Amino acid sequence: LIDCYSKQKRRVEFAERAQELLTEMEQSTHATPQTINVYNSVISAWGNTEANIAGERADAILKHMEDLAESGESMFRPDLIAYTARIRAWAKSGAKDAPQRAEAALDDLEAKFQSNAKGYTHAIDAWARSKLPECGERAQAVLERMVKAHEEGRCIHTPDSVIYTALIAAWMKSGAKDRLDRCDALLRIMEDSENPDLCSRDGNYHVLIRGWNISDKPNKLEKVKELKQRWKN
């Protein structure tokens, strides 16, 4: 039942109910939590609410899991899934300090595990959602952080189209004057890549074409025509 609640979108009451059920299970002598998955599902439930309190609730659950592990219940020690879900909860929370808190949560993940692409994707998404003037540069720094982690053997994945799409979204929402050129450079990397996981997507072209159309750049018509041709190819 908790797993069902965890899949509901933008409904705080479902996350609250999932947490209530978890508490009831912990207090029961007949239906205590048997695996870490139950706790991970509740963290995911808060991430799906996109509520301002989601990150704080995720932090509290993860801290509770750590306390359980320290008290001898090692099966509840937070795993990579838990730490990644925590980053996602902060990224989607909309809290004022969400991107900074998401990156801090990524710091914690990197200190404990060999990471995967999801944590970095959520951190980039956090910056994109913030729409802060510097969100493009900060999101770009997260990508570079992932590349370095992979080169050092600390991340099992290389950046994929999901990461690049999130980064394009961040640049488009930033206040950078060169944001369109930045996004175009990212799109070209995707177009030129031989990695099947880094192929360009229809949505990438939609975003850039719209961005050029509403810009005041003198060469916008030429750029739109060029992008449409690249899209066909």
Side-chain angles (χ1 to χ4, degrees), residues 12-183:
V12 173
E13 61 268 29
F14 286 121
E16 290 176 336
R17 183 56 184 148
Q19 189 150 359
E20 288 171 359
L21 287 172
L22 175 59
T23 301
E24 291 172 8
M25 291 175 68
E26 289 183 322
Q27 295 173 348
S28 171
T29 57
H30 303 292
T32 57
Q34 299 297 312
T35 71
I36 193 175
N37 295 338
V38 178
Y39 292 91
N40 290 348
S41 290
V42 178
I43 296 176
S44 294
W46 279 110
N48 281 336
T49 66
E50 300 187 17
N52 286 348
I53 60 173
E56 293 176 354
R57 293 297 181 91
D59 279 355
I61 296 165
L62 193 136
K63 176 63 167 59
H64 178 56
M65 295 166 72
E66 290 174 337
D67 291 343
L68 288 173
E70 291 300 319
S71 68
E73 298 184 77
S74 59
M75 73 285 289
F76 298 127
R77 190 178 303 280
D79 58 6
L80 178 61
I81 295 173
Y83 276 87
T84 302
R86 175 197 186 195
I87 299 170
R88 179 174 176 270
W90 274 113
K92 290 183 174 294
S93 70
K96 187 176 181 180
D97 59 346
Q100 294 87 350
R101 297 295 291 271
E103 277 211 63
L106 179 60
D107 290 341
D108 290 344
L109 184 152
E110 286 185 323
K112 295 177 182 292
F113 304 98
Q114 185 182 39
S115 56
N116 60 28
K118 289 183 178 181
Y120 299 96
T121 303
H122 296 323
I124 289 173
D125 183 49
W127 283 110
R129 288 170 177 268
S130 76
K131 299 181 182 179
L132 292 169
E134 70 272 22
C135 68
E137 292 180 359
R138 296 297 296 267
Q140 185 77 40
V142 175
L143 173 71
E144 293 167 2
R145 174 178 176 173
M146 179 186 178
V147 170
K148 182 178 179 181
H150 178 73
E151 291 173 348
E152 296 175 351
R154 296 182 290 106
C155 177
I156 61 175
H157 294 140
T158 56
D160 58 13
S161 60
V162 177
I163 289 265
Y164 271 76
T165 296
L167 183 53
I168 287 173
W171 275 114
M172 288 301 294
K173 294 175 182 178
S174 76
K177 292 182 179 180
D178 63 343
R179 60 184 179 274
L180 290 171
D181 294 325
R182 292 275 197 164
C183 291

Side-chain angles (χ1 to χ4, degrees), residues 1-12:
L1 189 55
I2 288 177
D3 187 57
C4 291
Y5 283 129
S6 74
K7 292 179 171 61
Q8 305 304 311
K9 306 292 186 181
R10 300 184 181 89
R11 298 287 293 274
V12 173

